Amino acid sequence: TMTVIPANPKIVGSRPYTGNSDGAAAGPIPGMDEWIRQAIKYGGGAFWNNGSWGIRNMRGSENLSVHACGRAVDLSYRPSEKHPTANRKATIAFINIVLANANALGVECVLDYFPKAFGRGWRCDRQRWKSYSKPEIHGAPGGDWLHIEINPQMADAPNQVKQAFQRVFTELPQ
């Protein structure tokens, strides 16, 4: 496991990045499950849950995945018979709203596996996207999902998650 990466005092809104420092969870965590339910609710069919809690290492790595910590989900925008409206454009529009409100929604990290050449990542300690210049995430480029990690506080607070989503998504202009 890694240590927490501290917030950067020079970046407005910067928060510490937990990564896998909290270790493996015994099972799904209620606030993460609620975060997924709320994302699907407000995502309007643009994506679906392609996997959350599971004890495993990161793909292509010996390090524990944040999925094992119970605070990560892969949201896929791959269309299928079961998910006919899934699409990247609406998923990115959704994630842009989420990231504009990342601290309120408890988001620590988003990995986007699609862009060439090596994907991109958004993190709470830098409050912005970084395009990767070398292979850093397994599945890029061309992956049809976003990996999202939330902080331990939100993962443990389903009611707080629900309230945060309601505040962010009901105040949007219709």
Side-chain angles (χ1 to χ4, degrees):
T1 55
M2 61 179 286
T3 54
V4 172
I5 296 170
N8 182 336
K10 294 178 180 156
I11 297 173
V12 175
S14 178
R15 305 275 181 168
Y17 173 63
T18 308
N20 62 12
S21 65
D22 51 345
I29 300 177
M32 184 76 236
D33 286 350
E34 187 60 39
W35 202 99
I36 296 164
R37 274 193 296 277
Q38 293 296 315
I40 303 267
K41 174 183 173 179
Y42 290 108
F47 50 82
W48 47 277
N49 178 359
N50 196 28
S52 54
W53 178 79
I55 301 294
R56 62 179 182 83
N57 287 341
M58 291 181 229
R59 290 173 61 191
S61 169
E62 296 299 307
N63 296 320
L64 190 68
S65 170
V66 178
H67 285 280
C69 305
R71 296 181 296 95
V73 62
D74 290 335
L75 298 178
S76 177
Y77 47 83
R78 181 172 58 253
S80 66
E81 209 171 302
K82 192 175 176 188
H83 305 284
T85 59
N87 71 92
R88 178 172 172 83
K89 185 178 178 188
T91 299
I92 295 302
F94 171 83
I95 210 66
N96 287 341
I97 295 166
V98 166
L99 292 180
N101 297 277
N103 291 346
L105 294 170
V107 176
E108 286 198 349
C109 177
V110 177
L111 300 178
D112 182 356
Y113 298 82
F114 184 75
K116 289 183 169 66
F118 305 105
R120 64 183 182 153
W122 183 98
R123 259 200 0 224
C124 58
D125 58 323
R126 63 176 174 253
Q127 293 286 313
R128 64 176 181 83
W129 288 102
K130 173 185 174 187
S131 291
Y132 297 129
S133 56
K134 62 186 196 303
E136 289 191 45
I137 54 177
H138 196 83
D144 56 12
W145 73 95
L146 298 177
H147 167 93
I148 300 166
E149 300 172 14
I150 68 170
N151 66 40
Q153 298 75 21
M154 288 298 259
D156 289 333
N159 289 337
Q160 198 179 331
V161 167
K162 201 170 184 174
Q163 290 164 1
F165 267 91
Q166 285 170 340
R167 275 195 305 275
V168 168
F169 285 92
T170 57
E171 290 171 4
L172 288 173
Q174 294 304 316

